[in-house]
Amino acid sequence: MTTTHSAVLRPPAAPGPLEWLRKNLFSTWYNTVLTLLAAWVAVSGVRSILGWVFFTANWSPVAGSLKLFAVGQYPLDQIWRPGAIVLIITLLAGASWRIFGGTVRTFALALALALLVAGLLPVRMNLGLRLWFLANPILTGAGYLAGGLRLVRTRGLAVAWALTFPVTILLLLGFKDSAWLPRVATGVWGGLLLTFLLAVVGITASFPIGVLLALGRRSKLPVVKTMCILFIELVRGVPLVTILFMASIILPLFLPEQIRIDRVLRAMTGMTLFAAAYMAENVRGGLQSIPRGQEEAAKALGLNGFQTMALIVMPQALRAVIPAIVGQFIALFMDTTLAVIVGLVEILAIGRIVLNSRTDWLMLDSEVFLFIAVVFWVFTFSMSYASRRLEAALGVGKR
Amino acid sequence: MSDASEDIIICRDVHKWFDDFHVLRGVSMTIKRGEVVVICGPSGSGKSTFIRTINRLEDHQQGDIIVDGIELTNDIRNIAAIRSEIGMVFQQFNLFPHLTVLSNVTLATIWVRKWSKAKAEENAMQLLERVGIPEQAHKYPGQLSGGQQQRVAIARALAMQPKIMLFDEPTSALDPEMIKEVLDVMVELARSGITMIVVTHEMGFAREVANRIVFFDVGQIIEQNTPDEFFLNPQHERTKLFLSQIL
Ligand SMILES: Nc1ncnc2c1ncn2[C@@H]1O[C@H](COP(=O)(O)OP(=O)(O)O)[C@@H](O)[C@H]1O
Ligand SMILES: [Mg+2]
């Protein structure tokens, strides 16, 4: 042990709340004026909004059309199918909470709590729906417990999440001539369900395609390189609406009669390719930000080209552009509303349908669109929150 | 002619161009097993380019390079074989910032040598011990000082148990008080009998451990000699001028 003569110095104590207020909000006379002004604007703004929300607004078009907003025209007697998918998700969320903790816990808990509260609301609701709401938090709990079992490991969980995807599609689509799972044409899929499908497919498919395009654009093979550049620049030069329009209306004109690609699938393809082109440019930006020395050091150690990319360059490149990538995911999520152009009834289109369905609802567009805006905001905010947590966990920027 | 297996690196009349720029203009050099060679010369004279041709970070367009009996060509298998025999330490460290110190050192043995994680980590800890920073194993490179980072870089290169170590100005990016800790590691390494090529202007180091000093200018070897002769008896005007500038 070493002893020092000087006394151990502690960092100065953090200021108390009063001190903080004085220093930050009331330090000078104009700061004080600004603080009071801002407080007045905030309070009166919030008061009038809350007043409108609770007393003036007429929420009957929203409350009376929740099924439409959730799943569109999906048949009522088959509605257990999307319901079952949500149950699978809350179960897996519970297990992921146990295994990953951190931000995953926040999300699993928020989802379970929201559904629990919905299930406990003192409103008229059919018993099946109420039980379904309540089953979700229970499954999250069950998943959490199951996550503690030896059997369940990170890899198994990843596989389960990946499997959720085809299961979702099969469950929603069903089979021709099946009594249990009759075919439900994609034409009647709608609402938030369709919005989600478009967004999730777009995000999960555009990411790997974008990474490949970015690598292709840097390739030494001229053919690969030219094709990638051509694709990226062509797609980026055209608005999404045009691409959706082409995918839906023009493409079938060129295909033989027998080949008829599903309308939803066409929209998904269009959105995915569109997003992939932008993703490629984001990833390329990340790749360019990694100094050449990294690649050289990896090569000098004897790593091959693939290992160098997968272990050294790509992880750093992606990490550097997480904000841009998530920003793009959010944009994609909101762009799903453009699918209305090609006749898909995602949540925004449902809003219009609802407004037009009864003459006394025609004037209630503020309520309907505010509701839709809040739904979008909840999900986009969750994404950007997750992105910030991911950045913090990976230590972007502090280096 | 000397015994072929005695000569671990043989360069014959190596030329290299960057586009039209003739960087290496006929470099010939033979290095014996266990020899420690220091390369010095003015900035831009092609020292880095030359040692980078030895592990094929740069390709040469004319002449032969034979490392441990393997000729350097575009054959990928030859390149991989040679790279796993040669460790390299860079001026800018080039540690992998997203991996811990320990993972930096185990990376190549796990992925290239296919060692088990346990074996790779044991080997890595021994090397971190050797360069004097075992207690930093679980930190990230960004949390270390320059001197510590460069010692990690040396450990990382040594992990593959290379026969040859290349150093490209390993102390040039360091604050003065950290140069010694890195040089101490390099002196110990030189005495262990490994073959080393070191580009450096640290003449104290050269005097202490080098078997030979090579003076480079405009892509050519101007002269080479034992340290004593090189410092006391430089033959060429350019060498004398260079020495007067750095000593
Ligand atoms: N990748 C490159 N492309 C073009 N010129 C280069 C490249 N690398 C180095 N050079 C040039 O080659 C010459 C020798 O560089 P280098 O080998 O780094 O010299 P030294 O290490 O002796 O300072 C310099 O003039 C430098 O500008
Ligand atoms: Mg150099």
Side-chain angles (χ1 to χ4, degrees):
Chain A
M1 283 252 310
T2 52
T3 51
T4 49
H5 293 291
S6 57
V8 178
L9 275 182
R10 303 208 155 278
L18 273 181
E19 175 68 5
W20 185 91
L21 282 178
R22 200 186 60 72
K23 238 172 105 175
N24 290 287
L25 299 179
F26 303 101
S27 53
T28 56
W29 68 265
Y30 51 85
N31 196 349
T32 307
V33 169
L34 278 178
T35 301
L36 293 177
L37 202 67
W40 178 76
V41 168
V43 166
S44 57
V46 166
R47 259 182 57 175
S48 60
I49 289 174
L50 287 183
W52 182 81
V53 165
F54 284 107
F55 302 111
T56 318
N58 175 0
W59 294 106
S60 58
V62 172
S65 323
L66 283 178
K67 185 254 167 190
L68 269 181
F69 279 113
V71 295
Q73 303 284 1
Y74 204 89
L76 203 53
D77 59 340
Q78 297 298 324
I79 203 154
W80 63 270
R81 284 148 71 164
I85 292 161
V86 176
L87 291 175
I88 296 176
I89 290 172
T90 48
L91 177 74
L92 289 180
S96 307
W97 161 12
R98 180 66 166 267
I99 288 180
F100 300 113
T103 310
V104 178
R105 185 188 73 172
T106 314
F107 276 101
L109 264 175
L111 185 61
L113 271 179
L115 292 163
L116 178 67
V117 169
L120 295 176
L121 280 183
V123 293
R124 255 171 11 107
M125 190 191 300
N126 92 37
L127 185 65
L129 183 59
R130 197 180 283 282
L131 288 179
W132 174 80
F133 272 128
L134 296 177
N136 276 297
I138 294 173
L139 278 178
T140 300
Y144 180 79
L145 293 180
L149 299 179
R150 256 175 200 293
L151 222 83
V152 185
R153 281 276 155 270
T154 315
R155 195 168 299 175
L157 201 58
V159 171
W161 275 114
L163 278 180
T164 309
F165 206 65
V167 167
T168 299
I169 300 294
L170 284 182
L171 202 55
L172 288 179
L173 198 56
F175 301 94
K176 257 193 197 125
D177 315 318
S178 156
W180 286 99
L181 277 182
R183 168 65 46 96
V184 175
T186 56
V188 298
W189 300 9
L192 195 55
L193 172 72
L194 183 60
T195 300
F196 265 154
L197 280 176
L198 290 173
V200 172
V201 169
I203 287 170
T204 43
S206 69
F207 182 67
I209 298 176
V211 168
L212 289 179
L213 281 171
L215 291 176
R217 188 164 189 168
R218 285 165 51 111
S219 166
K220 290 202 188 78
L221 307 171
V223 177
V224 174
K225 184 174 172 155
T226 314
M227 301 256 288
C228 289
I229 294 181
L230 249 147
F231 175 85
I232 293 170
E233 296 307 335
L234 275 180
V235 170
R236 291 199 329 144
V238 177
L240 176 57
V241 180
T242 318
I243 288 179
L244 287 175
F245 186 72
M246 287 203 299
S248 292
I249 295 155
I250 301 180
L251 195 64
L253 297 182
F254 291 101
L255 291 175
E257 281 284 319
Q258 306 88 309
I259 304 181
R260 306 199 60 222
I261 308 176
D262 182 84
R263 197 161 46 151
V264 172
L265 188 60
R266 280 184 307 213
M268 280 177 178
T269 314
M271 295 196 57
T272 301
L273 295 182
F274 181 78
Y278 283 86
M279 184 62 57
E281 288 301 276
N282 281 335
V283 174
R284 191 166 70 99
L287 289 172
Q288 275 172 350
S289 75
I290 307 305
R292 263 192 46 165
Q294 291 290 306
E295 193 181 328
E296 289 177 352
K299 292 246 163 81
L301 282 171
L303 266 61
N304 63 34
F306 178 78
Q307 291 169 332
T308 301
M309 187 45 74
L311 300 171
I312 304 301
V313 180
M314 193 54 83
Q316 296 186 62
L318 291 181
R319 221 167 76 162
V321 292
I322 289 173
I325 289 179
V326 175
Q328 215 216 306
F329 286 167
I330 290 174
L332 178 75
F333 184 62
M334 297 196 279
D335 280 348
T336 55
T337 50
L338 291 174
V340 70
I341 301 276
V342 294
L344 299 187
V345 277
E346 42 61 61
I347 188 166
L348 192 60
I350 296 278
R352 294 208 190 86
I353 291 174
V354 166
L355 284 174
N356 289 321
S357 65
R358 280 173 51 172
T359 42
D360 53 333
W361 284 356
L362 272 176
M363 305 301 288
L364 299 177
D365 42 6
S366 309
E367 285 84 344
V368 168
F369 289 127
L370 182 69
F371 167 73
I372 294 172
V374 169
V375 170
F376 269 100
W377 182 81
V378 166
F379 291 109
T380 52
F381 177 77
S382 305
M383 285 197 258
S384 65
Y385 172 77
S387 143
R388 269 177 286 132
R389 294 303 303 261
L390 189 64
E391 281 169 50
L394 295 177
V396 178
K398 64 154 201 229
R399 199 197 293 164
Chain B
M1 283 213 68
S2 58
D3 179 5
S5 71
E6 271 284 286
D7 297 333
I8 193 164
I9 300 173
I10 302 167
C11 303
R12 281 191 221 111
D13 193 30
V14 173
H15 288 262
K16 175 169 182 66
W17 288 262
F18 284 120
D19 297 322
D20 286 343
F21 179 53
H22 200 175
V23 203
L24 298 180
R25 308 179 175 205
V27 179
S28 297
M29 185 191 285
T30 304
I31 294 174
K32 289 193 173 36
R33 239 169 251 281
E35 201 175 359
V36 176
V37 175
V38 162
I39 298 178
C40 62
S43 172
S45 58
K47 308 180 297 291
S48 299
T49 307
F50 173 64
I51 69 167
R52 288 154 61 89
T53 59
I54 294 174
N55 65 352
R56 198 90 174 164
L57 286 182
E58 306 283 359
D59 53 357
H60 58 287
Q61 285 119 8
Q62 200 178 307
D64 308 315
I65 301 178
I66 299 161
V67 179
D68 203 20
I70 306 172
E71 166 142 27
L72 276 180
T73 59
N74 278 329
D75 190 332
I76 295 178
R77 280 161 307 167
N78 280 356
I79 296 174
I82 280 166
R83 282 184 181 155
S84 59
E85 300 281 317
I86 303 179
M88 185 157 197
V89 175
F90 301 85
Q91 181 175 353
Q92 301 295 342
F93 325 140
N94 294 350
L95 292 178
F96 307 128
H98 62 306
L99 302 176
T100 61
V101 164
L102 188 63
S103 304
N104 265 275
V105 183
T106 56
L107 184 83
T109 45
I110 289 177
W111 290 94
V112 181
R113 293 259 192 265
K114 313 283 182 201
W115 287 2
S116 72
K117 194 165 175 240
K119 183 178 177 193
E121 287 187 351
E122 195 192 320
N123 175 56
M125 283 314 296
Q126 277 173 10
L127 288 166
L128 289 175
E129 202 90 49
R130 184 168 171 193
V131 300
I133 39 176
E135 73 285 355
Q136 311 287 354
H138 296 286
K139 289 196 184 163
Y140 284 86
Q143 297 167 306
L144 305 188
S145 74
Q148 291 173 324
Q149 290 192 46
Q150 194 60 299
R151 286 186 283 157
V152 173
I154 295 174
R156 177 178 72 177
L158 288 175
M160 290 287 281
Q161 302 175 329
K163 295 180 181 158
I164 302 163
M165 285 286 284
L166 307 176
F167 292 83
D168 190 1
E169 304 207 31
T171 56
S172 300
L174 295 177
D175 291 335
E177 76 271 20
M178 293 171 188
I179 291 178
K180 186 173 176 304
E181 66 190 51
V182 171
L183 287 181
D184 285 348
V185 171
M186 290 170 58
V187 168
E188 186 267 324
L189 200 58
R191 297 204 166 119
S192 76
I194 195 170
T195 310
M196 281 169 60
I197 304 182
V198 185
V199 176
T200 186
H201 293 155
E202 291 295 331
M203 289 304 147
F205 171 83
R207 223 186 285 263
E208 197 173 339
V209 295
N211 302 110
R212 178 159 39 130
I213 300 184
V214 176
F215 178 66
F216 246 73
D217 198 9
V218 286
Q220 284 170 319
I221 294 178
I222 302 299
E223 78 174 274
Q224 47 183 322
N225 221 325
T226 60
D228 290 343
E229 283 297 306
F230 183 80
F231 291 118
L232 294 177
N233 239 336
Q235 303 296 309
H236 287 260
E237 281 311 311
R238 270 188 279 179
T239 319
K240 285 177 195 161
L241 180 67
F242 177 73
L243 283 175
S244 72
Q245 281 163 349
I246 65 161
L247 285 182

